[in-house]
Amino acid sequence: CEVTNARYKVFIDAGGYANQSYWTPEGWTWRSSNTIKEPSLWAGGKNNCGPNYPTYPVVGLSWHEACAFAKWAGKKLPTEAQWEKAARGTDGRTYPWGEKLGGMANGDSSGSTPAGTYPQGASPYGCLDMAGNVWEWCNDWYNNKYYSVTPASNPPGPATGTEKLILGGSWYNFDGVGGTLQSAHRSKVKTPDNRTFNLGFRCVR
């Protein structure tokens, strides 16, 4: 599942924002210079974020914060290749569950839903909410030409860049035909410090 508010609260309560060892150098500088102590929507509870919404995916946090949580948890953010394989399986399906949209994901509602609300939309590996609900940070820098030069097996993502990749679509960005929910749909945000109301993450191990 996507990381929930309840799980993220454990990270906060464990001193995750005060322990430099969990953060990249750039992330720690950003956190320190902006006195960041929690996701941007945490205290106000907007967009189902914060401790009053324990089962909802945490949102309003930067790539830096997602990376710090992942390291604290003994995991990582997924590469694009890992994420897409988890969503599409070995048969290259359009959506995690198959080829037809059919109400299998939260892509057309007034807000996010609790993690795992759509079990019928699970991927071939049992991963939930890989289409819709909230966008998800990936480890990779965004490069729209990367697939023309990538290794055929286990591509690690571009070594450098200015914009980070996000995948999965969200409840807010439904385009009416499901294009943004397709597993191969790629998007980006401007910088790793972007904190958006419909953007969360999941981890890999």
Side-chain angles (χ1 to χ4, degrees):
C1 289
E2 295 157 337
V3 174
T4 63
N5 291 311
R7 184 64 175 151
Y8 200 83
K9 184 178 185 298
V10 179
F11 169 68
I12 295 174
D13 292 345
Y17 278 83
N19 192 329
Q20 187 174 353
S21 66
Y22 300 137
W23 297 75
T24 64
E26 298 80 8
W28 184 253
T29 297
W30 169 81
R31 190 215 66 81
S32 300
S33 61
N34 293 283
T35 319
I36 303 296
K37 298 180 179 179
E38 60 191 22
S40 62
L41 303 175
W42 190 259
K46 293 182 179 180
N47 295 102
N48 302 322
C49 185
N52 291 331
Y53 304 90
T55 61
Y56 286 78
V58 62
V59 293
L61 75 175
S62 68
W63 183 88
H64 300 305
E65 291 164 282
C67 279
F69 174 96
K71 187 171 183 179
W72 167 80
K75 303 177 183 181
K76 297 180 179 180
L77 292 184
T79 65
E80 179 177 15
Q82 289 170 333
W83 192 98
E84 191 170 331
K85 176 67 179 295
R88 303 185 79 185
T90 58
D91 56 4
R93 55 188 61 189
T94 300
Y95 303 100
W97 55 85
E99 296 305 309
K100 295 182 179 180
L101 193 57
M104 299 288 195
N106 179 20
D108 187 16
S109 76
S110 59
S112 63
T113 51
T117 296
Y118 293 81
Q120 68 274 25
S123 82
Y125 299 104
C127 300
L128 301 173
D129 298 322
M130 297 202 79
N133 215 19
V134 298
W135 286 102
E136 298 176 16
W137 285 111
C138 283
N139 187 65
D140 296 17
W141 293 106
Y142 180 82
N143 182 340
N144 64 353
K145 298 181 179 179
Y146 181 65
Y147 279 128
S148 66
V149 297
T150 182
S153 179
N154 297 323
T160 60
T162 58
E163 300 166 308
K164 285 292 183 179
L165 188 72
I166 59 175
L167 298 171
S170 83
W171 62 269
Y172 184 75
N173 299 107
F174 185 66
D175 60 3
V177 295
T180 57
L181 304 186
Q182 294 181 10
S183 299
H185 179 79
R186 313 168 79 222
S187 191
K188 59 185 178 179
V189 292
K190 291 183 177 180
T191 60
D193 59 3
N194 186 285
R195 307 170 94 198
T196 304
F197 67 94
N198 61 339
L199 174 57
F201 71 107
R202 74 178 67 227
C203 298
V204 296
R205 178 164 54 191

